[in-house]
Amino acid sequence: MDLNKIKVIQTVKDTEDRLTEKDSLTFQKDYQENLPLIEINRNKKFQEVIGFGGAFTEAASSTLDQLSPQKRQEAIDAYFHPEKGINYTFCRTHINSCDFSLGNYAYTETPGDVELEDFTIERDRKSLIPLIKDALKTKGEDFKLFASPWSPPAWMKTNGRMNNGGSLKDEYREVWAKYFAKYIKEYQKEGIDIWGVTIQNEPMATTPWDNCIYTDEQERDFVKILGSTLKEEGLEDIKIIVWDHNKDIMKSRVDTIMSDPEAAKWVWGVGFHWYGPEDSESTVDNDVLDYTYETYQTNLVFTEGCNPYYNIDQDNLIGEWWTGEKYGRHIIADLNHWTVAWCDWNMYLNEEGGPNHVGNLCDAPIMADREKDILYYNTPYYYLGHFSKYILPGAKRIEWKSDIGELNITAFENTDGSIAVIVMNETDKEQTFTLKDGDRAVKVVSPAHSIQTLLY
């Protein structure tokens, strides 16, 4: 292996390049060109990455169930096959129904079933669990899977329904914590390990679909109950992630929970989404990530993001380029501000952006036309792959410096010593720069509207 060789993998608008390996470059020790600079310093390291991935939902699994067996396996391979896929290692699923289910459901819908005698995951066995199992088989090894509830059963809530707001009744907090434990153990019986849980998906959002409202103090108090319950149930290794909502409004929640030692001791990390003003791309939002890490030394995880279809007649996003650039921009910014894992929303949706039981349709990296038996690979799929395929679990972010304001950049060292530098160019112009590492340098051309992984 030539240690001076650099693999160039790129995805470029208006070309055929999609995670395409180009001619390699070679570092030179007598490099003389005077170009804008990206300088890598592998001696200064930051957070360690857990992985990248997306969510298993009933919408995703039911969509694949309507394809031919060959197309269904192709879709699974695309994310999970060691060679053909983009190496997903960190994934999400839902406890009870979510909006991307075929309807509301809970594992026990018997009012007052505080002993959880009627608890069953039979609904998940029909479609969702088979997809997760097939992904595990295709991957050939475990990926980390965390689970999020959108709503407790209707009978546990103040409004008596899973949708449109309402909170967990105080008298059911212990039962709801045991519900988490029961869910984890039932999935273990299926051969599926749940690595972690979030307390509640979007705990401040009153929506037409499944949800449950928690104030800062309510989530703080429930963390204590859930943590102690999981320990009593022999599940103390399960990671607990709080918040799981928009990063632009997370500071109050983080402070309330993490400044309480009794609550904070159970918390492994803070999850966040990108939704919010302009999808939370402001400097202030990145500052809150820095603040959370630097103040509480907790793990930061991006737990959900997608591009919604606000008007299905106008918003069909298949083939759009900006959707991938949005993913790349967010992933790079989040990684550069201490994020250790990044999880997309639905891995697969149908040609309409669903199914969704309240019509909350959206985009996904892979869309399936059920009648034509065709898979559409959208640009977010390729942009995600530039990270998930080359920044491997255990990689550490390393320092980089640059005088090129037009490019988005991040850099990581994998456990085998290889370096992955991600360079994204959202501009309409080609950008040429020098990549320097120690006493070696090389000229690199970044095409307009491209993302490159430079691997050496």
Side-chain angles (χ1 to χ4, degrees):
M1 179 180 176
D2 188 342
L3 295 179
N4 287 314
K5 289 288 184 186
I6 306 165
K7 282 187 180 180
V8 179
I9 301 98
Q10 68 183 30
T11 296
V12 186
K13 185 179 181 181
D14 298 329
T15 73
E16 298 297 312
D17 288 350
R18 299 292 183 272
L19 286 169
T20 302
E21 186 169 340
K22 309 299 285 185
D23 291 341
S24 62
L25 301 173
T26 304
F27 274 122
Q28 300 169 9
K29 290 196 174 183
D30 55 353
Y31 182 86
Q32 299 293 331
E33 296 206 43
N34 184 21
L35 293 168
L37 182 67
I38 297 175
E39 186 169 9
I40 303 301
N41 176 18
R42 66 176 73 200
N43 294 318
K44 188 168 184 180
K45 296 181 173 65
F46 303 94
Q47 82 274 20
E48 182 176 309
V49 163
I50 293 172
F52 302 85
F56 296 99
T57 59
E58 190 178 53
S61 63
S62 66
T63 294
L64 294 198
D65 289 345
Q66 297 172 71
L67 300 177
S68 66
Q70 294 81 4
K71 278 295 173 186
R72 182 180 182 276
Q73 188 59 51
E74 179 191 326
I76 297 170
D77 287 347
Y79 286 124
F80 295 101
H81 191 280
E83 286 82 38
K84 301 176 190 174
I86 59 172
N87 194 44
Y88 270 10
T89 54
F90 184 82
C91 298
R92 186 191 197 197
T93 192
H94 48 92
I95 300 172
N96 295 333
S97 58
C98 65
D99 54 323
F100 281 92
S101 298
L102 304 185
N104 291 125
Y105 69 89
Y107 302 130
T108 173
E109 299 186 9
T110 306
D113 183 17
V114 295
E115 299 299 325
L116 306 180
E117 292 177 353
D118 294 337
F119 187 103
T120 175
I121 59 168
E122 190 57 36
R123 170 72 173 249
D124 292 0
R125 290 193 184 101
K126 295 175 183 176
S127 179
L128 182 59
I129 285 175
L131 174 58
I132 297 171
K133 286 183 174 180
D134 286 347
L136 284 165
K137 186 163 70 174
T138 299
K139 178 77 174 167
E141 59 184 357
D142 285 352
F143 41 77
K144 288 181 169 62
L145 180 66
F146 72 100
S148 304
W150 268 243
S151 174
W155 55 270
M156 289 190 190
K157 289 180 65 185
T158 56
N159 67 342
R161 54 194 301 196
M162 294 183 77
N163 303 347
N164 295 107
S167 298
L168 178 66
K169 290 182 177 180
D170 287 348
E171 62 264 35
Y172 290 130
R173 291 186 302 175
E174 286 77 13
V175 178
W176 183 227
K178 289 178 181 176
Y179 198 105
F180 277 77
K182 184 102 172 171
Y183 166 84
I184 293 165
K185 289 182 177 181
E186 288 300 306
Y187 262 66
Q188 285 176 341
K189 291 177 187 175
E190 295 290 327
I192 298 170
D193 288 330
I194 301 296
W195 169 85
V197 293
T198 72
I199 299 293
Q200 168 64 41
N201 176 74
E202 300 189 347
M204 286 181 66
T206 299
T207 58
W209 55 86
D210 325 57
N211 65 293
C212 184
I213 303 301
Y214 286 78
T215 65
D216 294 354
E217 293 75 20
Q218 285 171 331
E219 185 169 2
R220 175 199 64 198
D221 295 344
F222 184 70
V223 166
K224 301 173 188 178
I225 296 170
L226 180 61
S228 59
T229 299
L230 292 179
K231 184 176 182 181
E232 289 166 9
E233 296 280 345
L235 299 170
E236 61 267 30
D237 291 339
I238 302 298
K239 310 296 188 289
I240 296 176
I241 299 169
V242 297
W243 187 227
D244 197 11
H245 201 169
N246 300 351
K247 68 178 175 180
D248 63 308
I249 53 172
M250 68 189 257
K251 184 178 183 297
S252 173
R253 186 67 49 113
V254 170
D255 284 338
T256 301
I257 295 172
M258 300 305 291
S259 64
D260 183 317
E262 191 183 345
K265 72 178 182 181
W266 303 110
V267 176
W268 177 86
V270 177
F272 62 94
H273 301 178
W274 73 21
Y275 315 114
E278 297 184 8
D279 286 333
S280 300
E281 292 171 16
S282 73
T283 305
V284 173
D285 298 329
N286 292 325
D287 287 348
V288 79
L289 299 183
D290 290 342
Y291 167 81
T292 300
Y293 175 79
E294 291 163 4
T295 306
Y296 301 110
Q297 283 75 56
T298 192
N299 295 290
L300 289 164
V301 180
F302 183 86
T303 49
E304 183 188 317
C306 73
N307 292 305
Y309 281 2
Y310 295 111
N311 183 333
I312 188 62
D313 295 326
Q314 300 174 15
D315 287 355
N316 186 311
L317 301 177
I318 291 173
E320 289 283 353
W321 199 262
W322 67 264
T323 56
E325 291 187 328
K326 178 175 165 181
Y327 272 72
R329 185 187 325 124
H330 274 279
I331 296 170
I332 289 171
D334 292 340
L335 291 174
N336 284 340
H337 295 275
W338 300 104
T339 297
V340 301
W342 210 95
C343 189
D344 184 31
W345 191 202
N346 298 278
M347 282 188 264
Y348 317 99
L349 290 174
N350 66 29
E351 69 282 355
E352 297 173 345
N356 183 292
H357 69 88
V358 291
N360 183 36
L361 306 175
C362 76
D363 192 36
I366 298 179
M367 309 282 280
D369 188 314
R370 297 161 294 171
E371 285 192 15
K372 297 178 181 177
D373 199 36
I374 292 173
L375 296 174
Y376 297 101
Y377 293 84
N378 285 330
T379 51
Y381 172 81
Y382 300 104
Y383 273 72
L384 273 159
H386 276 273
F387 303 89
S388 60
K389 197 171 176 71
Y390 303 105
I391 301 173
L392 306 179
K396 290 187 176 179
R397 180 165 62 94
I398 55 177
E399 185 178 58
W400 57 269
K401 294 179 180 177
S402 175
D403 52 10
I404 317 168
E406 294 86 355
L407 300 178
N408 294 315
I409 306 158
T410 194
F412 284 80
E413 182 177 39
N414 288 305
T415 55
D416 65 357
S418 64
I419 304 294
V421 181
I422 313 293
V423 179
M424 179 177 147
N425 180 2
E426 285 190 80
T427 75
D428 295 330
K429 295 182 179 179
E430 177 180 284
Q431 306 281 339
T432 304
F433 62 90
T434 295
L435 177 68
K436 186 173 187 292
D437 186 335
D439 61 354
R440 306 175 300 166
V442 67
K443 176 182 175 181
V444 182
V445 177
S446 169
H449 293 287
S450 71
I451 184 169
Q452 295 174 313
T453 301
L454 307 173
L455 195 66
Y456 58 93

